[in-house]
Amino acid sequence: MTEPRWLSDTEMRAWLGYRRMRRLLDLRINRDLAADAGLSEQDYDVLSILSELPDPAIRVGELSERLLWTRSGLSRHLGRMEQRGLVTREDDPDDARGTVVALTETGRGAIRGAAPGHVDSVRRHLIDRLTPAELQVLGDIAEKVLDN
Amino acid sequence: MTEPRWLSDTEMRAWLGYRRMRRLLDLRINRDLAADAGLSEQDYDVLSILSELPDPAIRVGELSERLLWTRSGLSRHLGRMEQRGLVTREDDPDDARGTVVALTETGRGAIRGAAPGHVDSVRRHLIDRLTPAELQVLGDIAEKVLDN
DNA sequence: CGAGGATCGGTTACATGTCAACTATCGGCT
DNA sequence: AGCCGATAGTTGACATGTAACCGATCCTCG
């Protein structure tokens, strides 16, 4: 193996900064969300997707792709959310192998109630700390990283 | 509660982009690290801090602060790493409540062996995809978010 | 001194994620 | 029609994180 190209100061600062930001930012926002609405970040993500859907229900597999989650993890999480009355699961009438997930009224109420506080939290901890130019670049960076 | 300030397009793009980047980037880099070196990201972080220390050992509490980890989580993790022969734990001679953690030769070898591949992985998935200006801004963003 | 609150690290109970294996079903091909 | 590999979702075994609590030790202040 040839000598690797170690990271320069700027590169190291960006990498370590990203790592610490990830930890602290997620910690703060999740804490706010749990305190304000009694929801985890994962709950919020699921509810958010369901509430913005044109259809009343979505296949578990498609939901897992949108969330970038494994099916098994999602299955377990949906079980917990179902028990709390946030979502329902029913057999897909079009494909007996499948299951469709839908929001309950409780779930819809939960996301409606949680959204304002969550947006405020995201603003306080991230968005409002950055300039418009920085927000633009952050979007660019994410796009480049995700572009496989 | 007054009407919240919802996110603009640019803000939403930055936020969702960050979220997706976090998921995918971590997934990729952790996968590489596990495949190349048989280490988890957490293992790497611990070994990395220990290997760059001026002293031969560090207090558990200080390690947990540097890692932004809870003590209990770190305690469990150190137990696992100790069993694998990567680190040792001994009573702190200066404070009988405390424990000091040190790297074993195995642990030092593991981090040395893993570092080149890890740096390469970080480059491939993040650093080398960005321009110097973007790296600078990413560092700035992290600094602002972490401030306070 | 020495009493009592603070601090340290670990453990127990629990939450939540992954991987591999499983069951049920689908659907193309003969 | 019937076979058989592919696909959908769930579950068991396990890894690994947190919060609450515990026993031991430290240290300040009367």
Side-chain angles (χ1 to χ4, degrees):
Chain A
M1 191 188 298
T2 61
E3 178 69 8
R5 287 165 49 228
W6 300 108
L7 299 184
S8 71
D9 286 350
T10 305
E11 289 165 346
M12 186 61 89
R13 172 170 174 266
W15 171 239
L16 293 182
Y18 164 73
R19 298 291 310 280
R20 284 187 83 80
M21 173 171 77
R22 191 193 58 173
R23 262 206 184 284
L24 255 189
L25 185 56
D26 296 352
L27 208 96
R28 289 173 183 161
I29 291 180
N30 289 347
R31 181 163 303 169
D32 285 351
L33 191 55
D36 294 348
L39 295 175
S40 70
E41 175 184 23
Q42 293 82 353
D43 296 333
Y44 191 92
D45 287 347
V46 171
L47 295 177
S48 169
I49 288 183
L50 288 175
S51 73
E52 289 169 7
L53 227 51
D55 305 316
I58 187 175
R59 290 285 294 259
V60 170
E62 194 182 333
L63 190 54
S64 81
E65 282 177 19
R66 294 211 202 182
L67 290 165
L68 297 177
W69 267 18
T70 60
R71 292 220 177 128
S72 68
L74 180 56
S75 175
R76 291 179 183 290
H77 200 81
L78 289 175
R80 289 189 290 265
M81 294 182 75
E82 194 174 23
Q83 281 212 320
R84 291 198 283 154
L86 295 170
V87 300
T88 57
R89 275 192 290 195
E90 288 180 15
D91 294 341
D92 185 342
D94 297 333
D95 182 344
R97 293 170 305 178
T99 305
V100 291
V101 184
L103 216 49
T104 63
E105 272 316 304
T106 304
R108 197 171 296 279
I111 184 76
R112 283 212 182 112
H118 184 56
V119 171
D120 181 63
S121 170
V122 171
R123 278 200 177 283
R124 259 185 304 117
H125 297 305
L126 177 68
I127 301 291
D128 286 352
R129 293 177 179 227
L130 306 181
T131 66
E134 286 167 341
L135 285 169
Q136 180 67 45
V137 173
L138 180 55
D140 295 345
I141 289 172
E143 198 169 286
K144 285 186 173 180
V145 169
L146 293 171
D147 180 39
N148 167 341
Chain B
M1 192 188 298
T2 61
E3 178 69 8
R5 287 164 50 228
W6 300 108
L7 299 184
S8 72
D9 286 350
T10 304
E11 290 166 344
M12 186 61 88
R13 172 169 174 265
W15 171 238
L16 293 183
Y18 164 73
R19 299 291 309 282
R20 284 186 84 81
M21 173 171 77
R22 192 193 60 176
R23 261 205 186 283
L24 257 188
L25 186 57
D26 295 352
L27 208 96
R28 291 173 182 162
I29 290 180
N30 289 347
R31 180 162 304 170
D32 285 351
L33 191 55
D36 294 349
L39 295 176
S40 71
E41 175 185 24
Q42 293 82 352
D43 297 333
Y44 191 92
D45 287 347
V46 171
L47 294 178
S48 170
I49 287 183
L50 288 175
S51 73
E52 289 169 7
L53 227 51
D55 305 315
I58 187 175
R59 290 285 295 259
V60 171
E62 192 182 334
L63 190 54
S64 81
E65 281 177 19
R66 293 213 202 182
L67 290 165
L68 298 176
W69 269 18
T70 61
R71 290 208 180 146
S72 67
L74 180 56
S75 176
R76 292 178 159 289
H77 201 83
L78 289 176
R80 289 189 291 265
M81 293 183 74
E82 195 175 20
Q83 282 212 320
R84 291 198 283 152
L86 295 170
V87 299
T88 57
R89 275 191 291 195
E90 287 179 16
D91 293 341
D92 184 341
D94 297 333
D95 183 343
R97 292 171 306 179
T99 304
V100 293
V101 184
L103 216 50
T104 63
E105 272 316 304
T106 304
R108 197 171 296 279
I111 183 78
R112 283 212 182 114
H118 185 54
V119 171
D120 181 62
S121 170
V122 171
R123 278 201 176 282
R124 259 185 304 116
H125 296 305
L126 178 68
I127 301 291
D128 287 352
R129 293 176 179 228
L130 306 182
T131 66
E134 286 168 341
L135 286 169
Q136 181 66 45
V137 173
L138 180 54
D140 294 345
I141 290 172
E143 198 169 285
K144 284 186 173 181
V145 170
L146 292 170
D147 185 38
N148 166 341

